[in-house]
Amino acid sequence: MKQILDPNTGGRLLTQRQLADRWSVSTKKLEADRLKGCGCPYVKLGSAVRFRLCDVLAFEEANLRRSTSDRGGR
């Protein structure tokens, strides 16, 4: 897996395919979430969409649940 670095933070950037694989979802799901404004924050580089690993980890943490009735809000 090729690593792309964010020059401002030194953090790793993931492609849409890499994030889709990480979460076991389709790239179409990520695109739909971006369109609705409910997905993980992303960086737009020309026509390329990239996700900072630090944002992915924060998004995962913010969506962590302990039960089906847990609404989050840590």
Side-chain angles (χ1 to χ4, degrees), residues 8-50:
N8 295 320
T9 64
R12 183 159 171 226
L13 296 177
L14 302 178
T15 65
Q16 184 169 262
R17 176 78 265 156
Q18 289 169 323
L19 183 58
D21 289 346
R22 177 184 178 94
W23 288 349
S24 300
V25 299
S26 70
T27 56
K28 295 289 185 195
K29 164 76 169 125
L30 296 177
E31 291 166 4
D33 286 350
R34 281 200 314 276
L35 186 63
K36 292 186 285 187
C38 65
C40 184
Y42 63 96
V43 176
K44 188 81 176 200
L45 303 170
S47 63
V49 172
R50 298 292 184 263

